[in-house]
Structure formats: structure tokens, C-alpha cells
Amino acid sequence: MEYINESDFRRLDLNLLLVFHALLHERSVTRAAQRLFIGQPALSGALKRLRAALGDELFVRTSHGMTPTPRALELARVIEPLLLSLQQALHAQPAFDPATAERVFRIGLSDALEVALMPQLMQRLSEQAPGVRLVARAADRTNAPGMLDAAEIELAVGVFIECAAWHRQRALFGWHFVCVYNAALVKTRGKRITLQEYLHHPHLLTSFSADLSGLVDDLLREQGHARQVVFSSRNFATSPFIVRQMPAITTVPTFAAATWRDALGLAVSPLPFETPAYEVSLLWAAARDGDPGLQWLIGLMAEVFGEKPVC
């Protein structure tokens, strides 16, 4: 065991770490004070003591609120997991037994992944862990890491290009883009749609930015082509019902396409041009590695979806 020098902590009231945590997430003295149920003057005084103890401004007032300094961001990589680990230790649970456990897990994922994965996962939970409940929250690669850090979710599912040092990641399955349409309305010469046929019909786009242009449009533009996007939404849920009613095409991940094909009888075709391949993975806070319940759920999802078939 490494030796701990208690004198190193005399300059720092450990309660100030909670002030640091609140300011890091709220970026506002007022909101941080409300989060900690203390007055704003008290929090300002605590910040002053924290700055003196650590020898850095830590948070600087800007047009975007209280912006953390590079030193604060560096400290956050240590302090955040420390607080999570301490919280976990204080509320330690006995070994997890799925057959008798009563627990709620909060998972962050997109609506397309929710539709594709949750029915089968809930079926397995009903068989193996009837007392376990799930809460699904909307999340993507832009906000899921922050939601994990704020303990708003315990597990994220999605495409995560980068993984912070204080997070853990486990791959589930790969996917690529395919196009979906109603074969009774969109006539093709064969099972694979041609580029001419693809460009001839109007398109529906799912875009997290709710724009009328996306990655596929960029790839087409590089080849000197363009498609006509007539509808765009952040949500996947609407598009399959639109293509059932009109001669249009939507380009979506294989896991979404497989669900729509099986449930709604829609046709699926490879794209007539190359697109990147991606990987869906699980993401969680490293501080929760010692949580037996979460680790059981991660293992179950890897077992159920690790070999998930795609179109």
C-alpha cells in the first residue's frame, strides 16, 4: 500500500471537491450553489479557498459561463472518478444476483438503437432478472460521455469515436449504411438498387442536426451527384412509415433497416456507392468497474448483441 501523507491535505477541505464538481458541471456560480443547497456568497468563498489551495484560477468567467482552465480539466480527470468511487463505496451493494435483484438501470442511446435492441434485451431481463427495470434516455456520441460523468445514465450505447481515460468501452457489433424503401412503390430492376434509381427518387434523412444534408450527400457530391432530400428529422421513428406511403428512399444503419424490414415488410438494398463502416459499443464510467450489477448488464448485452446479424 502506498503511503499517504496527511499533511498534504491540510490545505484542502475535502468538501471543496464537491464545489469543484458542481462548478465543473454547472459552469455557473448560481446554479452550482443551488445544486449544493448553499448560498451564492458561500460558494464564491469556497471557490476562493479552492483557488488558493490549488494555486490556479480553475474557473474563469467568460461569455459561456464559468469556463474551466486547463489545470481544472486536468484535475477533473482525477477528481471525478474519485468522487464516483467514494459514492459507490459509501453505498456499496452486496453481490448482484439477477434472479432476486431489484434495481433500475438508466441507459442512454438513440431511438433507432432503442427500437433495435430493447425488445430482445427486455425479453432476456424478464427471464433472468424480473426485478430489473430499465430507463432509456436519448443520447448520442455528443452528449453521452457528459451524461455518464454527471451520473444521469450508467451505460451508453452508440458509436463513440474516442474514449476518455476515465471511461470504459466494449464493442458490440459493426454496421454500415443501406437504403430502405417500399418495393411496391419504388420499382427496381434487381435486388440491388442502382445509382440511377437511387438518385431518381426523393429521400428522407435522419440527421442529429436536423439538416437537409448529411454524410451521404457529401459522398455523393464528391462523385458529382446530388439527391433530393424532402424530409429531415432527428428521429428514426417516422421515416419507415413515410416510405410505406410514398415512393421515397431512406438511408439508415443496417440495424435499423433490419428492424423495419422484419416489422414492416420494407425492402432493403445495399447502397450503389461506398460508405464508411462503424461500430456500436457500450460506454461507461471507469469508476463503476466495481459495480457488479452494471458489469452483469454489460456482459448480458455483449452476449445478446455481440453477434447481432446485420443486413
Side-chain angles (χ1 to χ4, degrees):
M1 180 180 296
E2 294 186 11
Y3 176 74
I4 295 177
N5 187 351
E6 290 81 1
S7 63
D8 289 341
F9 295 91
R10 291 174 182 172
R11 296 182 299 117
L12 180 65
D13 178 354
L14 295 183
N15 287 319
L16 295 179
L17 297 183
L18 296 178
V19 173
F20 179 90
H21 172 79
L23 281 169
L24 184 69
H25 290 279
E26 298 296 342
R27 306 296 171 90
S28 162
V29 171
T30 300
R31 291 196 302 272
Q34 293 171 346
R35 180 169 180 157
L36 296 174
F37 301 100
I38 61 176
Q40 184 173 334
L43 191 132
S44 296
L47 176 57
K48 183 177 179 180
R49 296 195 303 274
L50 191 59
R51 286 167 169 166
L54 298 177
D56 188 90
E57 280 294 297
L58 297 177
F59 298 92
V60 179
R61 192 179 303 279
T62 69
S63 59
H64 299 289
M66 299 295 286
T67 301
T69 65
R71 173 62 172 157
L73 294 175
E74 180 183 355
L75 288 169
R77 298 180 181 181
V78 177
I79 292 174
E80 294 290 285
L82 171 65
L83 291 176
L84 281 172
S85 297
L86 181 58
Q87 181 181 19
Q88 181 178 328
L90 292 174
H91 299 281
Q93 298 293 324
F96 186 81
D97 179 6
T100 59
E102 297 285 340
R103 180 164 172 181
V104 177
F105 292 100
R106 289 172 171 78
I107 302 178
L109 70 175
S110 69
D111 62 325
L113 282 169
E114 184 176 332
V115 171
L117 305 184
M118 291 302 104
Q120 191 174 356
L121 180 60
M122 289 305 301
Q123 178 186 2
R124 291 291 293 270
L125 288 177
S126 69
E127 298 168 352
Q128 299 184 22
V132 168
R133 294 174 289 170
L134 297 184
V135 175
R137 298 195 57 183
D140 56 49
R141 66 176 180 270
T142 63
N143 62 0
M147 294 173 72
L148 286 170
D149 293 342
E152 296 173 5
I153 57 175
E154 294 157 283
L155 185 65
V157 189
V159 177
F160 305 108
I161 307 301
E162 298 179 349
C163 179
W166 56 92
H167 291 158
R168 295 284 187 267
Q169 189 170 3
R170 181 168 180 174
L172 284 184
F173 58 87
W175 64 268
H176 55 275
F177 284 109
V178 291
C179 57
V180 180
Y181 54 93
N182 185 341
L185 301 177
V186 175
K187 302 298 183 179
T188 61
R189 294 181 180 179
K191 293 182 179 181
R192 297 174 66 97
I193 197 167
T194 66
L195 180 60
Q196 182 179 6
E197 292 165 343
Y198 185 85
L199 298 176
H200 174 73
H201 294 278
H203 287 259
L204 315 177
L205 171 65
T206 302
S207 167
F208 289 129
S209 61
D211 201 353
L212 289 171
S213 179
L215 171 66
V216 169
D217 300 280
D218 295 337
L219 295 174
L220 287 171
R221 193 176 302 113
E222 292 175 359
Q223 302 177 31
H225 303 296
R227 63 177 181 170
Q228 180 190 14
V229 176
V230 298
F231 175 80
S232 175
S233 172
R234 285 182 54 88
N235 303 313
F236 281 86
T238 309
S239 295
F241 295 97
I242 296 179
V243 297
R244 287 188 72 190
Q245 301 296 321
M246 65 178 289
I249 297 171
T250 184
T251 301
V252 297
T254 43
F255 57 83
T259 302
W260 299 349
R261 177 197 60 199
D262 297 342
L264 302 174
L266 295 173
V268 179
S269 169
L271 290 172
F273 50 90
E274 294 293 326
T275 58
Y278 300 92
E279 190 172 65
V280 169
S281 61
L282 302 174
L283 192 72
W284 67 95
R288 295 192 180 274
D289 282 347
D291 181 339
L294 181 61
Q295 296 306 311
W296 174 83
L297 180 62
I298 290 169
L300 178 65
M301 294 185 70
E303 174 188 335
V304 175
F305 305 117
E307 298 296 331
K308 182 177 174 62
V310 296
C311 297

